[in-house]
């Protein structure tokens, strides 16, 4: 396997609603910043791949307008996945592994504020048996949280602690959306939103965009002082039917972690894509994380959750710690689908 | 650096306006099971699945890889979903191939599909988006002015398109999977069919189809134990350009020319017209055949129509094009690109049945999408690269 | 004897709030004033109408605003004979690419008040706007284009836009 590293990362400040700019206008500065920070010329980048979703944008072929932000002229090698940008990064990593590229630009964008996002997500469900009942994303997550609580794997207090810790960490992140100090007792005194989830257990709704540049071997060493080397990356999907799997355990995360080499050593930091508090607890277990490990110093998806972008941002935030010399070995995770159906795990080293 | 990769199994569904006899999982499984059977494998032998399709609004299901994971035996495995507009079927195959070429997996199942009868593809293509110009004329209305520009530039005879349609529709009679089949199709029939977007007539236009296509791609090691003749992937290429910019040539787009040039360079091809034994290219409106002949370097600029006129692209010509009947005969949008890639591989593997040509050693698969801006292509051949 | 269920119909209704973005907002407000505004790419100097905020070839912001004429040249066209969903105009009608004077990319629009046989590449046309009191920030402020009483533009003046 070739050595591939994340050499730069940029994101727009995550906001509840981007009122002023359209997707291209949001993406342009982020793509420009990531390319400039990489030290690789725009025309020197070998491959470009993006992640976005038509149903979030409320129009078909939404990704096409994103390309203008990149300025694909002369024509470029370019691809797109209708998934979180983390999977676009995976496709780029694979391309570099084939030897057909030495560098790649990965970007993702999405305005979750445009539609009723929890309803939009209902369309991810089996169209014959599940979607017609219109269970929204929060209710499905609540089902999962109930399973977790009933099995004694978590408490509502532990969930509230995840929320409070995430938003407290977010205070140090200028790009985070939800940040602040919250008292556990006050949080637990709040009414349920969808039992057993309270508002603080749920992610915010976010408009965002982010970009990452990957580079192989010598190119990465030349351009980046401390490249975040991808030592392992893998992703797995589980059965879609919620009753067919144990919602309290993330088997796909366990398998992906094993394949990515996550169990081979300890980490200095982990960025987990857990939009709901109880999901962080499930993921910590699946990843066998040390309870003392710094998880989501960025604030995580509980502080900013731009769908299609939040997973890519976890990879970027983990890499950033390595770039800054704050971490030597980092773990990043991304998720897709209802109740952690699909998961990607990435192990990085400085 | 790249591992070798070959196509060892191919399957497709019967394409039709409405496959009401199957659900979406049923449709993709029909193609996937045929591909697996062709390779003498089961789902358990597959390491990863790459799915591709066009906009989700065509079916009303968002990110369908999530609900199709079970139908494609994917629990516990990696699954990716590619979407690059009309070229998606081709790009999907290329992404799947790269997983093998990178040495990550031994056997990858790739499936592309569209079940556009479930939602309303026409609505999805022309839905009025606030602040954007209304797409009043549909896909045909978008491409017809470009075709007019080609006719003006090249001086091509007006009936060139009719001849392409006649050829492709005649070829479709030998393809049991084809959607549109017109026994006894004639020049007069095509010429007298209603004009839809002048100069494109009804019988020069692709249908809207439900359908799926699947392939099993294997590493060199896995290919050694596969039955049948492998179609070795010699090269793949993808190129994109902006939808609109000053001075853009939409008739002979540079992205297509650059994609072909890179493909030929990687495959060691210097004279494509001579070195390919056949080509399956994405022709949704008849006139795209002469236009793509030029874009692909098979003919000089403004001379692509001559290839059609001379019969070069007919089944008995020196470069048969779209022996399967092409997109004009079956157009499940998400799958159409993969069908081109698969039909090219089928010719190399000698499994094209009634529309099989003799002695195909090297074939081209081609797909395009968007406003003639996304291109994906591959070269498959009987010899190991 | 129970019938096998072969399909179900599930109505889906989703509401979205769309925002025009800066460039499109400027353009639409211009239409409300009866003006057609484009943006110039700082690298190539080309004027884009409608403007998109970004130069599609260079990925840089296009900030300089340029007003273009509402007269132009038909570079190519087609005659649409089949109805399309959500279309208020009944076919047959002419859909054309129009290179407005001052712009560097063609603008897609309909051509009316002209027999089909007379529509041709190079034809000079003029925008027909809605009445002044109906002008609004929407593409519909321009109803269509009609022929201008001017000689056709020579082929090489618009050839590169084909």
């Amino acid at each position: 396997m070739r050595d591939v590293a994340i050499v730069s990362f940029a994101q727009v400040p995550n906001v509840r609603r981007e009122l002023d700019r359209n997707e291209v206008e949001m993406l342009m500065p982020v793509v420009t910043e990531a390319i400039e920070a990489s030290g690789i010329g725009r025309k020197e980048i070998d491959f470009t791949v993006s992640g976005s979703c038509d149903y979030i944008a409320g129009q078909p072929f939404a990704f096409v307008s994103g390309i203008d932000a990149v300025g694909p002229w002369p024509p470029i090698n370019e691809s797109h996945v209708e998934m979180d940008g983390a999977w676009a990064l995976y496709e780029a990593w694979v391309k570099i592994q084939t030897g057909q590229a030495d560098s790649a630009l990965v970007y993702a964008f999405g305005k979750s504020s445009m539609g009723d996002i929890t309803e939009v997500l209902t369309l991810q469900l089996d169209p014959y048996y599940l979607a017609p009942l219109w269970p929204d994303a929060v209710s499905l997550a609540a089902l999962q949280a109930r399973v977790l609580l009933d099995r004694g794997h978590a408490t509502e207090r532990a969930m509230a602690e995840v929320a409070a810790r995430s938003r407290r960490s977010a205070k140090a992140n200028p790009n985070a959306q939800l940040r602040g100090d919250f008292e556990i007792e006050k949080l637990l005194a709040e009414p349920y939103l969808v039992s057993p989830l309270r508002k603080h257990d749920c992610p915010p709704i976010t408009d965002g965009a982010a970009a990452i540049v990957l580079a192989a071997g010598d190119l990465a060493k030349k351009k980046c002082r401390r490249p975040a080397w991808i030592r392992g990356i893998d992703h797995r999907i589980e059965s879609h039917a919620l009753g067919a799997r144990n919602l309290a355990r993330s088997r796909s995360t366990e398998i992906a972690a094993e394949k990515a080499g996550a169990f081979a050593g300890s980490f200095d930091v982990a960025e987990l894509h857990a939009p709901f508090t109880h999901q962080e607890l499930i993921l910590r277990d699946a990843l066998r994380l040390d309870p003392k490990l710094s998880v989501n110093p960025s604030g995580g998806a509980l502080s900013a959750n731009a769908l299609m972008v939040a997973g890519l941002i976890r990879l970027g935030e983990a890499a950033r710690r390595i770039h800054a010399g704050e971490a030597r070995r980092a773990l990043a995770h991304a998720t897709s689908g209802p109740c952690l159906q699909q998961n990607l795990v990435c192990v990085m080293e400085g | 650096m790249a591992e070798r990769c070959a196509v060892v199994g191919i399957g497709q569904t019967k394409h039709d306006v409405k496959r009401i006899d199957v659900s979406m999982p049923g449709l993709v499984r029909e193609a996937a099971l045929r591909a697996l059977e062709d390779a003498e494998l089961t789902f358990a032998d597959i390491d990863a699945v790459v799915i591709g399709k066009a906009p989700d609004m065509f079916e009303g299901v968002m990110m369908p890889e999530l609900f199709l994971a079970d139908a494609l035996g994917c629990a516990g495995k990696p699954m990716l979903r590619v979407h690059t507009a009309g070229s998606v079927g081709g790009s999907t195959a290329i992404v799947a191939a790269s997983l093998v070429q990178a040495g990550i997996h031994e056997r990858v199942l790739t499936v592309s599909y569209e079940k556009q009868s479930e939602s309303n593809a026409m609505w999805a293509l022309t839905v009025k988006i606030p602040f954007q110009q209304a797409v009043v004329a549909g896909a045909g209305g978008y491409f017809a002015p470009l075709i007019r520009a080609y006719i003006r530039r090249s001086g091509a005879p007006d009936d060139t398109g009719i001849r392409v349609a006649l050829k492709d529709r005649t070829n479709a009679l030998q393809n049991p999977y084809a959607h549109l089949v017109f026994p006894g199709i004639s020049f007069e029939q095509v010429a007298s069919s209603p004009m839809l977007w002048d100069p494109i007539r009804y019988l020069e236009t692709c249908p809207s189809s439900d359908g799926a296509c699947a392939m099993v791609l294997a590493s060199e090691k896995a290919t050694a134990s596969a039955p049948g003749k492998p179609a070795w992937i010699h090269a793949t290429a993808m190129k994109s350009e902006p939808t609109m910019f000053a001075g853009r040539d939409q008739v002979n787009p540079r992205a297509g020319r650059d994609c072909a040039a890179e493909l030929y360079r990687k495959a060691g091809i210097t004279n494509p017209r001579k070195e390919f034994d056949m080509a399956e290219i994405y022709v949704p409106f008849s006139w795209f055949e002469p236009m793509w002949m030029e874009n692909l370097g098979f003919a000089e600029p403004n001379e692509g129509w001559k290839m059609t006129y001379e019969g070069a692209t007919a089944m008995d010509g020196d470069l048969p094009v779209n022996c399967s009947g092409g997109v004009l005969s079956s157009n499940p949008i998400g799958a159409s690109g993969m069908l081109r890639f698969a039909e090219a591989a089928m010719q190399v593997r000698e499994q094209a049945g009634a529309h099989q040509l003799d002695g195909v050693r090297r074939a081209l698969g081609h797909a395009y999408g968007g406003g003639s801006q996304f291109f994906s292509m591959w070269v498959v051949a009987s010899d190991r690269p | 004897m129970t019938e096998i269920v072969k399909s179900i119909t599930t109505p889906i209704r989703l509401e979205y709030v769309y925002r025009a973005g800066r460039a499109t907002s400027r353009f639409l407000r211009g239409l409300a004033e009866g003006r057609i505004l484009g943006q110039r790419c700082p690298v190539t100097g080309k004027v884009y109408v409608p403007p998109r905020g970004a130069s599609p070839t260079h990925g840089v912001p296009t900030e300089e605003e340029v007003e273009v004429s509402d007269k132009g040249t038909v570079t190519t066209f087609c005659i649409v004979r089949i109805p399309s969903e959500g279309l208020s105009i009944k076919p047959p009608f002419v859909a054309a690419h129009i290179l407005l004077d001052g712009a560097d990319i063609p603008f897609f629009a309909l051509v009316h008040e002209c027999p089909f046989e007379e529509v041709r590449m190079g034809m000079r046309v003029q925008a027909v706007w809605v009445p002044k009191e109906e002008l609004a920030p929407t593409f519909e402020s321009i109803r269509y284009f009609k022929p201008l009483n001017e000689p056709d533009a020579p082929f090489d003046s618009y050839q590169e836009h084909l």
Side-chain angles (χ1 to χ4, degrees):
Chain A
M1 287 283 139
R2 298 180 79 188
D3 284 336
V4 181
I6 293 178
V7 296
S8 70
F9 163 57
Q11 63 181 303
V12 291
N14 289 279
V15 295
R16 172 66 180 82
R17 227 175 243 108
E18 170 56 60
L19 292 171
D20 195 24
R21 300 177 293 173
N22 64 25
E23 280 92 339
V24 178
E25 290 162 342
M26 281 171 76
L27 255 180
M28 237 190 322
V30 155
V31 164
T32 301
E33 189 187 323
I35 292 177
E36 276 174 11
S38 75
I40 301 172
R42 186 181 288 261
K43 309 292 179 198
E44 267 63 72
I45 289 184
D46 296 325
F47 185 56
T48 300
V49 53
S50 62
S52 66
C53 176
D54 287 348
Y55 263 109
I56 292 183
Q59 67 173 77
F61 307 108
F63 74 95
V64 177
S65 56
I67 300 203
D68 281 358
V70 174
W73 189 258
I76 59 173
N77 299 326
E78 182 263 340
S79 183
H80 170 260
V81 290
E82 191 86 346
M83 303 171 82
D84 187 294
W87 278 267
L89 186 143
Y90 182 78
E91 183 182 333
W93 177 83
V94 171
K95 186 67 110 185
I96 297 177
Q97 292 299 334
T98 65
Q100 291 169 29
D102 290 330
S103 60
L105 167 69
V106 181
Y107 64 91
F109 59 96
K111 287 188 172 191
S112 299
S113 69
M114 287 179 66
D116 181 330
I117 194 66
T118 60
E119 274 189 359
V120 170
L121 287 169
T122 303
L123 294 186
Q124 281 181 339
L125 304 174
D126 184 308
Y128 309 104
Y129 298 119
L130 283 180
L133 301 173
W134 284 95
D136 61 283
V138 177
S139 300
L140 293 178
L143 277 175
Q144 183 181 40
R146 172 56 57 203
V147 172
L148 199 65
L149 291 168
D150 285 356
R151 289 186 189 204
H153 293 335
T155 62
E156 291 179 29
R157 177 169 297 272
M159 287 158 56
E161 277 162 5
V162 170
R165 191 210 75 234
S166 300
R167 282 133 195 179
R168 192 182 329 122
S169 300
K171 286 163 65 181
N173 179 0
N175 293 310
Q177 179 188 341
L178 277 191
R179 53 167 84 98
D181 291 300
F182 298 91
E183 284 177 41
I184 303 293
E185 297 312 323
K186 288 211 173 116
L187 290 179
L188 289 173
E190 291 287 312
Y192 289 120
L193 188 63
V194 179
S195 168
L197 297 178
R198 294 179 173 84
K199 187 157 180 233
H200 63 256
D201 293 310
C202 305
I205 295 170
T206 311
D207 290 351
I212 278 180
V213 174
L214 297 178
D218 288 341
L219 181 63
K221 287 184 197 142
K222 204 161 69 167
K223 300 290 184 184
C224 184
R225 217 155 48 88
R226 282 197 201 90
W229 298 103
I230 295 175
R231 292 300 177 215
I233 184 169
D234 190 275
H235 63 97
R236 303 279 152 168
I237 198 168
E238 294 176 43
S239 173
H240 180 68
L242 296 173
R245 54 189 174 102
N246 177 358
L247 294 178
R249 184 178 171 188
S250 186
R251 274 298 291 150
S252 51
T253 303
E254 290 169 24
I255 300 170
E258 171 80 53
K259 299 283 180 188
F263 302 136
S266 63
F267 295 102
D268 303 311
V269 68
E271 283 279 337
L272 310 182
H273 184 191
F276 296 90
T277 52
H278 67 280
Q279 290 177 340
E280 184 183 299
L281 302 174
I282 294 172
L283 292 169
R284 277 177 177 271
D285 259 350
L287 294 164
R288 304 181 202 162
L289 296 183
D290 189 315
K292 294 194 301 298
L293 177 67
S294 168
V295 171
N296 291 341
S298 66
L302 285 162
S303 299
N305 190 33
L307 282 156
M308 303 302 122
V309 192
L312 184 68
I313 288 179
R314 304 281 73 73
L315 288 154
E317 288 284 359
R320 205 166 61 73
R321 305 284 160 183
I322 293 178
H323 293 158
E326 292 164 18
R328 207 194 38 84
R329 197 161 184 266
L331 179 71
H333 156 273
T335 195
S336 183
C339 301
L340 302 177
Q341 185 190 348
Q342 184 175 30
N343 294 281
L344 178 147
V345 174
C346 179
V347 173
M348 295 178 223
E349 271 174 14
Chain B
M1 196 142 16
E3 302 282 332
R4 292 192 179 92
C5 180
V7 182
V8 298
I10 300 176
Q12 63 182 288
T13 60
K14 167 80 176 79
H15 312 295
D16 213 339
V17 62
K18 264 185 182 219
R19 282 296 307 270
I20 195 145
D21 58 313
V22 286
S23 61
M24 277 178 263
L27 188 74
V28 298
R29 277 176 72 88
E30 185 173 301
L33 285 169
R34 285 183 179 151
L36 287 170
E37 200 182 297
D38 188 30
E40 286 177 19
L41 296 170
T42 66
F43 282 114
D45 301 307
I46 298 297
D47 300 315
V49 175
V50 182
I51 238 192
K53 64 174 297 297
D56 292 343
M57 284 159 187
F58 288 179
E59 288 79 21
V61 182
M62 174 180 167
M63 299 166 74
E65 71 279 7
L66 296 167
F67 105 90
L68 291 172
D70 298 283
L72 291 171
C74 218
K77 297 180 187 172
M79 193 169 193
L80 280 174
R81 183 279 176 87
V82 178
H83 169 22
T84 61
S87 67
V88 64
S91 326
T92 302
I94 292 176
V95 172
S98 65
L99 288 170
V100 175
Q101 291 166 335
I104 297 168
H105 299 301
E106 296 281 325
R107 294 183 183 88
V108 177
L109 172 68
T110 183
V111 186
S112 289
Y113 78 100
E114 212 67 61
K115 199 163 196 285
Q116 51 203 66
S117 70
E118 300 231 344
S119 176
N120 185 332
M122 285 308 109
W123 161 82
L125 282 167
T126 57
V127 60
K128 175 94 177 69
I129 305 292
F131 310 123
Q132 290 180 25
Q133 256 184 306
V135 179
V136 293
Y142 181 91
F143 292 113
L146 302 179
I147 289 171
R148 181 175 299 276
Y150 171 73
I151 297 172
R152 172 72 193 267
R153 270 197 214 179
S154 63
D158 281 343
D159 65 349
T160 305
I162 297 171
R163 288 167 185 250
V164 172
L166 177 62
K167 169 183 73 76
D168 282 6
R169 298 207 181 288
T170 305
N171 290 349
L173 299 174
Q174 309 301 327
N175 183 357
Y177 299 109
H179 165 190
L180 287 184
V181 177
F182 298 101
I185 182 84
S186 69
F187 184 96
E188 291 67 38
Q189 243 184 303
V190 180
S192 61
S193 64
M195 191 64 86
L196 298 185
W197 312 276
D198 206 305
I200 304 174
R201 295 173 181 77
Y202 174 69
L203 284 177
E204 295 179 80
T205 302
C206 56
S208 168
S209 318
D210 286 352
C213 180
M215 291 189 282
V216 177
L217 305 184
S219 65
E220 188 165 8
K221 178 156 156 256
T223 300
S225 52
K229 205 174 149 187
W232 291 98
I233 299 168
H234 281 226
T236 65
M238 281 169 68
K239 285 274 188 253
S240 304
E241 67 181 41
T243 319
M244 178 54 83
F245 60 89
R248 181 173 184 227
D249 184 345
Q250 285 197 78
V251 173
N252 193 355
R254 180 153 163 198
R257 284 181 275 134
D258 284 3
C259 191
E262 182 178 297
L263 185 77
Y264 302 155
R265 185 179 46 76
K266 286 175 174 174
I269 290 171
T270 48
N271 188 341
R273 176 87 184 255
K274 289 255 171 328
E275 296 179 57
F276 281 115
D277 297 309
M278 68 87 60
E280 281 276 335
I281 67 178
Y282 204 108
V283 173
F285 302 101
S286 59
W287 280 90
F288 274 95
E289 179 176 287
M291 287 159 68
W292 292 149
M293 290 296 96
E294 295 171 26
N295 193 250
L296 288 164
F298 291 130
E300 291 298 304
N302 299 324
E303 306 212 333
W305 60 272
K306 291 182 185 169
M307 287 182 69
T308 307
Y309 249 79
E310 287 158 12
T313 59
M315 291 279 282
D316 57 359
D318 69 278
L319 184 72
V321 171
N322 294 340
C323 306
S324 63
V327 180
L328 283 177
S329 304
S330 311
N331 186 27
I333 295 178
S336 287
M338 188 172 281
L339 283 166
R340 307 284 69 73
F341 279 42
E343 288 281 349
M346 281 162 68
Q347 291 283 343
V348 168
R349 302 184 73 220
E350 293 174 44
Q351 61 179 153
H355 63 275
Q356 176 72 49
L357 296 165
D358 279 334
V360 174
R361 282 181 321 275
R362 188 184 282 121
L364 169 73
H366 160 282
Y368 90 94
S372 300
Q373 67 196 114
F374 304 114
F375 292 85
S376 56
M377 306 176 188
W378 81 359
V379 176
V380 281
S382 50
D383 59 315
R384 198 181 306 244
Chain C
M1 184 70 195
T2 39
E3 239 186 74
I4 295 172
V5 175
K6 286 193 183 151
S7 68
I8 53 170
T9 302
T10 333
I12 297 175
R13 186 197 153 86
L14 292 171
E15 275 188 31
Y16 291 84
V17 173
Y18 296 83
R19 296 187 195 277
R22 290 177 187 155
T24 307
S25 290
R26 277 300 297 143
F27 174 74
L28 294 175
R29 291 196 200 289
L31 289 182
E33 293 168 17
R35 305 161 67 207
I36 303 179
L37 300 176
Q39 284 177 342
R40 192 189 300 279
C41 168
V43 180
T44 61
K46 302 289 184 187
V47 175
Y48 286 90
V49 175
R52 301 164 55 72
S55 160
T57 48
H58 292 81
V60 294
T62 49
E63 279 148 359
E64 186 193 334
E65 203 166 80
V66 175
E67 183 168 350
V68 303
S69 168
D70 67 350
K71 300 182 172 58
T73 305
V74 170
T75 58
T76 182
F77 67 97
C78 73
I79 300 165
V80 180
R81 294 182 186 275
I82 54 161
S84 196
E85 281 234 16
L87 195 53
S88 48
I89 311 143
K90 294 194 97 29
F93 59 87
V94 177
H97 291 190
I98 297 168
L99 187 66
L100 296 171
D101 297 342
D104 288 300
I105 60 168
F107 182 91
F108 194 82
L110 306 181
V111 174
H112 264 358
E113 295 187 35
C114 177
F116 301 135
E117 320 78 68
E118 289 178 28
V119 179
R120 58 206 178 270
M121 293 158 76
M123 188 168 96
R124 295 283 299 161
V125 292
Q126 150 94 59
V128 174
W129 297 80
V130 298
K132 194 138 184 249
E133 58 278 7
E134 285 175 35
L135 282 175
T138 162
F139 277 94
E140 271 106 55
S141 290
I142 295 179
R143 295 179 60 204
Y144 52 81
F145 282 72
K146 70 172 188 196
L148 251 185
N149 206 348
E150 273 180 25
D152 284 4
F155 186 55
D156 47 20
S157 72
Y158 60 88
Q159 185 178 18
E160 69 159 41
H161 297 284
L162 285 180

